[in-house]
Amino acid sequence: MQDVSLLAPKDVRELIRKQEITGPTAGMSKGYTQANLAILKKEHAFDFLLFCQRNQKQCPVLDVTEVGSFSPALLAKDADIRKDIPKYRIYRDGVFTEEVNDITDYWEDDMVAFLIGCSFTFETPLLESGIPVRHIEENCNVPMYKTNIPCIKAGVFEGPTVVSMRPMSPEDAIRAVQITSRFPAVHGAPLHIGNPRQIGIEDITKPDFGDAVTIKPGEVPVFWACGVTPQAVAMQSKPSIMITHAPGCMFISDVRDEVYSVI
Amino acid sequence: MQDVSLLAPKDVRELIRKQEITGPTAGMSKGYTQANLAILKKEHAFDFLLFCQRNQKQCPVLDVTEVGSFSPALLAKDADIRKDIPKYRIYRDGVFTEEVNDITDYWEDDMVAFLIGCSFTFETPLLESGIPVRHIEENCNVPMYKTNIPCIKAGVFEGPTVVSMRPMSPEDAIRAVQITSRFPAVHGAPLHIGNPRQIGIEDITKPDFGDAVTIKPGEVPVFWACGVTPQAVAMQSKPSIMITHAPGCMFISDVRDEVYSVI
């Protein structure tokens, strides 16, 4: 078995396209940016792009395809967004209807694909600075919560901010603010540190998405805006069709993580 | 005469709305962000927003109005984009036709206003760090040049990057990279330092826009992406109507400069 963490992104995408990889992509092609996917029809594209523009911490756009094009050219010139993600979810009128490994049969000429930044990109520099990332230690999905922080509305799109949470010592939290501030294109600095109730989270042990993780004595929960926000918001507006990646099954780009640091 | 550098943004906008101020806004409401304006009809709005998204260094979007709305709500809740800029320019089919102080009579229900970041925002911290800004010293407009650096195309919008230039010592240039990197929302770090020919500028003494400034012995020219780019590119696509601010006559927002720093 090849070590997929060391494979070039194009080689992993080829395995995905052949459906030899059909599951989560965490850890694959280490050092290269992975992205969330949201596909909408042209009629919603301006409002959705404007929503992302107004809510950049929640929805950091990395690439948008031309109308009808399935090439995410800024992220990977030779990629085909219809085939190069291990698993997709189809939503009709806001309802999840099926999960597939290839969306060629679902693609329409007026579709636009949005590739949105993912916190995987800043977890590497956190780990490299010696900050433990609990859900990686506990080998589960990051805990995610709906908050009472509203996104700024754009056209039909509105809704609450979803956050991801990583517990750490207060000293590590300060360093994590510094590190993630360097990456505004992938959520940037945290939105909140400390008290979950202040942002509308009633029970930290019950995440709305993902898995609960251990918070050790003396640790504080640190909350970042999460790429699930735009998907949740788009679904709430019940578009006739919307296609996303399945949780954890991301698009692996040819762009190195560090390219997205501003300093 | 009031010192307009100390007036609150809303008070300056009121003087502008009454047409008691009809000229350049440099230095007014010191510490508050000023913005470039580009108004297009809805039919071009998605492509233009996508162009800005793909070329964030050249076109850092600070606010986009809802279709038909003249309220730049993120930048100033009570402002009216039709009246609160001292001087506007009207372009028809890409040709400059007239200059006016109020565009109420030109406004159409399907117009969208784009407010785009301006390097004024990072000149304040440059000055505060003791880095001289030559065009301010020489009391003229910043020199701007067309380069051979292409923007990334989006729909009908494409063209070369326009840059502004500030000459300084190599030591100040290094510090200026650090300072402006903190402000990705207003052009961020420079695009080039040193050799104008490398980016397609044949004669540094002949800017394409603005005024030439002195480059002293031992100084290097430092080039930043410029907010003139999106206007130049939009005009090149010859939309039936486009409205912009007149050079130097910017929109003064209620947002403090420092809000746009990422760290």
Side-chain angles (χ1 to χ4, degrees):
Chain A
M1 181 67 190
Q2 295 160 299
D3 182 352
V4 286
S5 77
L6 301 176
L7 283 185
K10 73 173 171 44
D11 296 329
V12 179
R13 291 197 303 269
E14 198 176 312
L15 293 172
I16 291 170
R17 198 180 289 201
K18 287 189 209 156
Q19 299 185 22
E20 291 177 19
I21 293 173
T22 57
T25 53
M28 296 184 181
S29 295
K30 196 165 174 299
Y32 289 89
T33 289
Q34 300 197 13
N36 298 289
L37 173 73
I39 296 176
L40 288 164
K41 287 169 78 89
K42 162 78 173 147
E43 59 183 322
H44 290 119
F46 175 67
D47 283 352
F48 191 67
L49 185 56
L50 188 54
F51 181 84
C52 294
Q53 166 63 37
R54 288 184 178 162
N55 298 280
Q56 291 187 41
K57 283 203 131 183
Q58 295 90 335
C59 318
V61 175
L62 301 183
D63 198 0
V64 182
T65 62
E66 294 291 313
V67 177
S69 162
F70 31 82
S71 163
L74 297 186
L75 291 184
K77 280 205 167 44
D78 69 347
D80 183 333
I81 206 64
R82 303 170 303 174
K83 305 173 180 189
D84 291 354
I85 282 180
K87 207 176 285 176
Y88 302 82
R89 287 188 164 184
I90 316 292
Y91 294 82
R92 297 178 197 277
D93 302 316
V95 179
F96 169 46
T97 56
E98 63 244 64
E99 207 164 64
V100 295
N101 302 114
D102 184 313
I103 56 162
T104 305
D105 293 344
Y106 295 82
W107 186 262
E108 297 177 51
D109 284 345
D110 62 347
M111 282 182 163
V112 180
F114 295 80
L115 284 302
I116 293 167
C118 160
S119 54
F120 285 5
T121 303
F122 68 62
E123 286 182 350
T124 307
L126 289 179
L127 290 167
E128 284 172 354
S129 288
I131 299 177
V133 176
R134 188 62 35 79
H135 62 274
I136 295 178
E137 289 180 337
E138 300 190 343
N139 199 23
C140 63
N141 201 349
V142 67
M144 292 165 275
Y145 307 85
K146 283 185 195 167
T147 69
N148 61 10
I149 305 168
C151 294
I152 301 169
K153 188 176 188 293
V156 298
F157 298 109
E158 63 183 318
T161 300
V162 177
V163 292
S164 62
M165 189 277 287
R166 292 160 189 81
M168 54 188 74
S169 73
E171 294 69 28
D172 281 349
I174 292 164
R175 182 73 185 131
V177 170
Q178 294 176 319
I179 292 168
T180 58
S181 294
R182 298 177 61 228
F183 292 93
V186 285
H187 305 304
L191 285 186
H192 184 71
I193 295 180
N195 183 355
R197 282 177 198 273
Q198 267 187 313
I199 55 171
I201 300 170
E202 288 306 315
D203 188 347
I204 196 77
T205 67
K206 298 204 171 69
D208 294 301
F209 312 96
D211 303 309
V213 297
T214 310
I215 303 180
K216 296 181 186 170
E219 287 187 336
V220 288
V222 185
F223 299 91
W224 278 266
C226 175
V228 167
T229 309
Q231 286 190 4
V233 161
M235 275 169 227
Q236 205 166 307
S237 79
K238 304 195 197 317
S240 60
I241 186 161
M242 177 174 178
I243 304 174
T244 72
H245 66 289
C249 302
M250 318 295 283
F251 178 74
I252 303 175
S253 81
D254 289 341
V255 181
R256 286 194 170 274
D257 290 334
E258 199 57 30
V259 169
Y260 291 113
S261 73
V262 291
I263 193 163
Chain B
M1 182 64 190
Q2 295 159 297
D3 182 351
V4 287
S5 77
L6 301 176
L7 283 184
K10 72 173 170 46
D11 296 329
V12 179
R13 290 197 303 268
E14 197 176 314
L15 293 172
I16 291 169
R17 198 181 289 203
K18 287 189 207 156
Q19 299 186 22
E20 291 177 21
I21 294 173
T22 56
T25 53
M28 295 184 182
S29 295
K30 196 164 173 301
Y32 289 89
T33 289
Q34 300 197 13
N36 298 288
L37 173 73
I39 296 175
L40 288 164
K41 286 168 80 88
K42 163 77 172 148
E43 60 183 323
H44 290 119
F46 175 67
D47 283 353
F48 191 67
L49 185 56
L50 188 54
F51 181 84
C52 293
Q53 165 63 37
R54 288 183 178 163
N55 299 280
Q56 291 186 40
K57 282 203 132 183
Q58 296 89 337
C59 318
V61 174
L62 301 183
D63 199 359
V64 181
T65 63
E66 295 289 313
V67 177
S69 163
F70 31 82
S71 162
L74 297 186
L75 291 183
K77 281 204 164 44
D78 70 345
D80 184 333
I81 205 65
R82 302 169 305 173
K83 304 172 179 187
D84 291 354
I85 282 180
K87 207 176 285 176
Y88 301 83
R89 287 187 164 184
I90 316 292
Y91 293 83
R92 298 177 196 279
D93 303 315
V95 179
F96 170 46
T97 56
E98 63 245 63
E99 206 165 64
V100 296
N101 302 113
D102 183 313
I103 56 162
T104 304
D105 293 343
Y106 295 82
W107 187 262
E108 296 177 51
D109 284 345
D110 62 347
M111 282 182 164
V112 179
F114 295 80
L115 284 301
I116 293 167
C118 159
S119 55
F120 283 6
T121 302
F122 69 62
E123 287 183 349
T124 306
L126 289 179
L127 290 166
E128 284 172 354
S129 288
I131 299 176
V133 176
R134 189 61 37 77
H135 62 274
I136 295 179
E137 290 179 336
E138 299 188 343
N139 199 24
C140 63
N141 201 350
V142 67
M144 291 164 275
Y145 307 85
K146 283 186 195 166
T147 69
N148 61 11
I149 304 168
C151 293
I152 302 170
K153 188 177 187 294
V156 299
F157 298 109
E158 63 184 319
T161 299
V162 177
V163 292
S164 61
M165 189 279 286
R166 292 161 189 80
M168 54 188 73
S169 74
E171 292 71 25
D172 282 348
I174 292 165
R175 182 74 185 131
V177 170
Q178 294 175 319
I179 292 168
T180 58
S181 294
R182 296 179 62 229
F183 293 93
V186 285
H187 305 305
L191 286 185
H192 184 74
I193 295 181
N195 183 355
R197 281 176 198 273
Q198 267 188 312
I199 56 170
I201 300 170
E202 289 305 314
D203 187 347
I204 196 76
T205 68
K206 297 204 173 72
D208 294 301
F209 312 96
D211 303 308
V213 297
T214 310
I215 303 180
K216 297 181 185 171
E219 287 186 335
V220 287
V222 185
F223 299 91
W224 278 265
C226 175
V228 166
T229 309
Q231 285 190 5
V233 161
M235 275 170 227
Q236 205 166 307
S237 80
K238 304 193 197 320
S240 59
I241 186 161
M242 177 176 179
I243 305 174
T244 73
H245 66 288
C249 302
M250 317 295 283
F251 178 73
I252 302 175
S253 82
D254 289 341
V255 181
R256 285 193 171 274
D257 290 336
E258 198 58 30
V259 169
Y260 291 112
S261 73
V262 290
I263 193 162

